[in-house]
Amino acid sequence: MELSPLQKARYGYRPKLPSSLACPIATLGCERLDAALPENDRETLRGLFPRTYGLPAVRLGAGTAGAAAAKKRTVGVILSGGPAPGGHNVIAGIFDALKAANPASSLVGFRGGPGGLVEDRYMEIDAALVDGYRNTGGFDMIGSGRTKIETPEQFEKALETAGRRGLDAVVVIGGDDSNTNAAVLAEFFADRGSPVSVIGVPKTIDGDLKGAMVEASFGFDTATKLYSELAGNIARDAASGRKYWHFIRLMGRSASHITLECALQVRPNVAIISEEVEAKKLGLSQIVGTIADSVAGRSAKGENFGVVLVPEGLLEFVPELKVLIDELNEILAADEEAFKALANDRARIEFVLERLDHESKAVFEHLPEDIQAQLLWDRDPHGNVQFSRIETEKLLAEMVGRRLALYAKEGDYSGKYDFQTHFLGYEGRCAFPSNFDADYCYALGYTAFALVAAGLSGYLSSVRNLSAPAAEWIAGGLPLVSLMNIERRHGQDRPVIRKALVDLDGRPFAAFAAARDEWALSSDYRVPGGIQYFGPADVADVVTKTLVLERTAAASKGAR
Ligand code: FBP
């Protein structure tokens, strides 16, 4: 492969480690903090996870890990779910920590995600391989996948693989669903008396895997910087050409963290936040009205252009569509075989129309046929609707056009409305990690190994105090079960890691809500520009507005 100049330069980047980790693993202490308990469904979760429920959170720092830390080990690593910038640096962090503890230890990569562990598809990870991927984006070193480990046979096969490879630990680098896999696997291994420890690492550009000791999932920083750059450029194009409304759908699955961060960065005319739509029970018609009012208001000033940000998972939060999607999920789960046998989209649409109840049927019938078909496409292996395939931005852009025609009939609008639609998603997931993600991921990997060396299992690697310089970051671990609750998936109640959605009482949303009325009519877009990998820290190491605002709020409450 021909290397780009940036790739060569990034090989030379040395990720910054928290000073508390910059010591031999043997002198790394592991302080046990209070038991970390889930917020909801405690009794059910205690019953389902008798061996890993109620473990204490831990903090790593100066102390003594003891002789066991330097034991020769074999660790397996899995990249799971959608790619996020920095995954290779997590592997580099695990590798460097493991070799620092004992040069004879080895790292094995399971290929193609959790399925690699079940099917024993593996590769040795050596120094030359790691060096070829340091500070690069992508998950292509070992590949990724979305297999859900759920059947008894899959668990048995995972255990067999662990035995065959002589594993001491498995590190699962993934989002909420993948870390649910990790939690269940940790419990299963413990239940079977296996000494193999399972550690998770919080990955996802969506930013929805966070909590008290998990301030951010890796990849969010890079992806939002890249999307903000592109959205800012589109905004400037809108203001230059003055003839289009740009509807930009942003990835992020259910949560609107990405849209909110990009809104804070770019100051679009409208940004829809799904969580607010749900809380205020806003119907599709009201959302369309908000956008149409901005279009009409700006048109009255002679500005027939603008920018609208739309979160990928919006439809799931619109009350009438949420009911519809829940019903569709139940219908598809109940009649899976019959549904899969249908020949085309039309037949699939007819199939569900016959089964939907009266109100949902009316909602479904009012959607354009391409959106109807997209809502029926396969769920992912974890039971999620694949929102990256649903063109919500087109639906809104067209509905706004129809609303404006009504305004025009009533004499309230006489502008010109043309639109362009965009989807920003896949282009952000494999970018070269920003300095923040390169450093954070390396520290997460290093920490994951330190948790293994401390003999822990069923933990999520945690590195926090992230708005401070990397040297002041705090490393530790959080029990995976403490992040779980019970949710309905594939027509059944299941234990899963809770998605952290946008907090409408939080500072990032408050900052957006305070400014949006002004943005609705203004053309004063902010143009963040591209990610800077080299240069002064206030340009190259700058963190997201979301992180800064959330950390300031936490600091004012005395949290560290
Ligand atoms: P993860 O939760 O696995 O990190 O996935 C993130 C994501 O990029 C979502 O934002 C998006 O909806 C989804 O993956 C797309 O999945 P796929 O890669 O299977 O198309």
Side-chain angles (χ1 to χ4, degrees), residues 152-176:
E153 297 74 40
Q154 284 175 311
F155 283 106
E156 291 301 336
K157 286 175 91 177
L159 190 60
E160 281 166 26
T161 301
R164 210 175 297 126
R165 297 292 133 239
L167 297 186
D168 296 280
V170 181
V171 179
V172 179
I173 303 171
D176 50 341

Side-chain angles (χ1 to χ4, degrees), residues 17 21 89-98 171 173 199 201 218 439-452 461 463:
L17 256 191
L21 291 181
N89 269 27
V90 179
I91 297 181
I94 301 170
F95 183 83
D96 290 352
L98 161 141
V171 179
I173 303 171
I199 302 294
V201 174
F218 80 75
D439 298 346
Y440 181 39
C441 288
Y442 189 75
L444 283 170
Y446 213 91
T447 300
F449 178 76
L451 297 174
V452 170
S461 173
V463 174

Side-chain angles (χ1 to χ4, degrees), residues 18-83:
S19 47
S20 58
L21 291 181
C23 62
I25 299 274
T27 62
L28 202 54
C30 180
E31 182 191 350
R32 281 162 198 255
L33 310 171
D34 293 338
L37 299 178
E39 250 174 61
N40 302 310
D41 306 312
R42 287 189 180 169
E43 284 319 306
T44 315
L45 290 167
R46 188 205 298 273
L48 290 170
F49 296 88
R51 293 169 196 280
T52 50
Y53 181 92
L55 296 171
V58 299
R59 178 176 167 145
L60 300 168
T64 331
K71 186 182 136 198
K72 181 180 165 208
R73 286 187 167 84
T74 303
V75 174
V77 63
I78 298 171
L79 289 167
S80 183

Side-chain angles (χ1 to χ4, degrees), residues 34-341:
D34 293 338
L37 299 178
E39 250 174 61
N40 302 310
D41 306 312
R42 287 189 180 169
E43 284 319 306
T44 315
L45 290 167
R46 188 205 298 273
L48 290 170
F49 296 88
R51 293 169 196 280
T52 50
Y53 181 92
L55 296 171
V58 299
R59 178 176 167 145
L60 300 168
T64 331
K71 186 182 136 198
K72 181 180 165 208
R73 286 187 167 84
T74 303
V75 174
V77 63
I78 298 171
L79 289 167
S80 183
H88 291 149
N89 269 27
V90 179
I91 297 181
I94 301 170
F95 183 83
D96 290 352
L98 161 141
K99 290 290 184 186
N102 186 331
S105 289
S106 54
L107 185 61
V108 169
F110 288 101
R111 307 179 86 120
L117 177 69
V118 175
E119 304 298 335
D120 197 11
R121 290 191 306 270
Y122 75 100
M123 61 196 277
E124 299 287 341
I125 298 179
D126 61 14
L129 185 68
V130 173
D131 288 348
Y133 285 92
R134 285 182 194 270
N135 307 308
T136 62
F139 275 11
D140 45 326
M141 182 202 283
I142 58 174
S144 183
R146 290 199 187 276
T147 303
K148 183 168 173 62
I149 305 183
E150 56 186 345
T151 65
E153 297 74 40
Q154 284 175 311
F155 283 106
E156 291 301 336
K157 286 175 91 177
L159 190 60
E160 281 166 26
T161 301
R164 210 175 297 126
R165 297 292 133 239
L167 297 186
D168 296 280
V170 181
V171 179
V172 179
I173 303 171
D176 50 341
D177 290 327
S178 314
N179 276 294
T180 296
N181 263 341
V184 179
L185 203 58
E187 179 69 26
F188 173 75
F189 284 168
D191 186 53
R192 296 296 293 270
S194 159
V196 179
S197 95
V198 183
I199 302 294
V201 174
K203 168 236 72 166
T204 177
I205 61 160
D206 301 351
D208 59 1
L209 178 49
K210 60 180 164 185
M213 283 180 65
V214 192
E215 293 170 7
S217 55
F218 80 75
F220 178 76
D221 185 271
T222 310
T224 53
K225 281 179 175 142
L226 197 129
Y227 300 145
S228 299
E229 177 201 357
L230 298 177
N233 294 351
I234 289 172
R236 191 160 245 179
D237 190 285
S240 305
R242 304 179 67 86
K243 60 177 180 177
Y244 292 126
W245 271 81
H246 290 269
F247 285 72
I248 308 174
R249 175 167 50 110
L250 290 152
M251 216 176 219
R253 210 190 280 281
S254 301
S256 303
H257 297 292
I258 290 181
T259 297
L260 181 54
E261 172 66 19
C262 293
L264 293 169
Q265 292 289 350
V266 174
R267 306 181 179 180
N269 301 107
V270 182
I272 311 292
I273 301 300
S274 303
E275 291 81 346
E276 183 183 30
V277 166
E278 181 173 55
K280 294 188 174 162
K281 298 188 174 35
L282 302 177
L284 206 48
S285 167
Q286 283 161 291
I287 297 168
V288 169
T290 303
I291 305 172
D293 288 350
S294 170
V295 176
R298 287 176 56 69
S299 174
K301 300 197 312 173
E303 317 236 290
N304 288 303
F305 62 91
V307 177
V308 181
L309 301 187
V310 181
E312 177 179 84
L314 173 65
L315 297 187
E316 205 181 18
F317 290 77
V318 177
E320 67 268 23
L321 285 156
K322 180 175 175 15
V323 174
L324 168 67
I325 290 170
D326 286 348
E327 266 188 52
L328 290 176
N329 287 344
E330 297 285 333
I331 291 172
L332 301 191
D335 284 321
E336 204 174 346
E337 296 284 296
F339 182 78
K340 284 207 167 130

Side-chain angles (χ1 to χ4, degrees), residues 370-403:
D370 48 357
I371 300 282
Q372 289 177 333
Q374 289 162 16
L375 281 170
L376 299 181
W377 285 347
D378 283 350
R379 275 43 184 162
D380 78 4
H382 296 266
N384 301 305
V385 175
Q386 299 194 55
F387 282 105
S388 63
R389 306 178 70 188
I390 298 181
E391 296 172 312
T392 310
E393 73 286 12
K394 288 194 181 144
L395 176 70
L396 290 179
E398 278 158 24
M399 289 180 78
V400 167
R402 273 182 252 143
R403 182 67 58 90

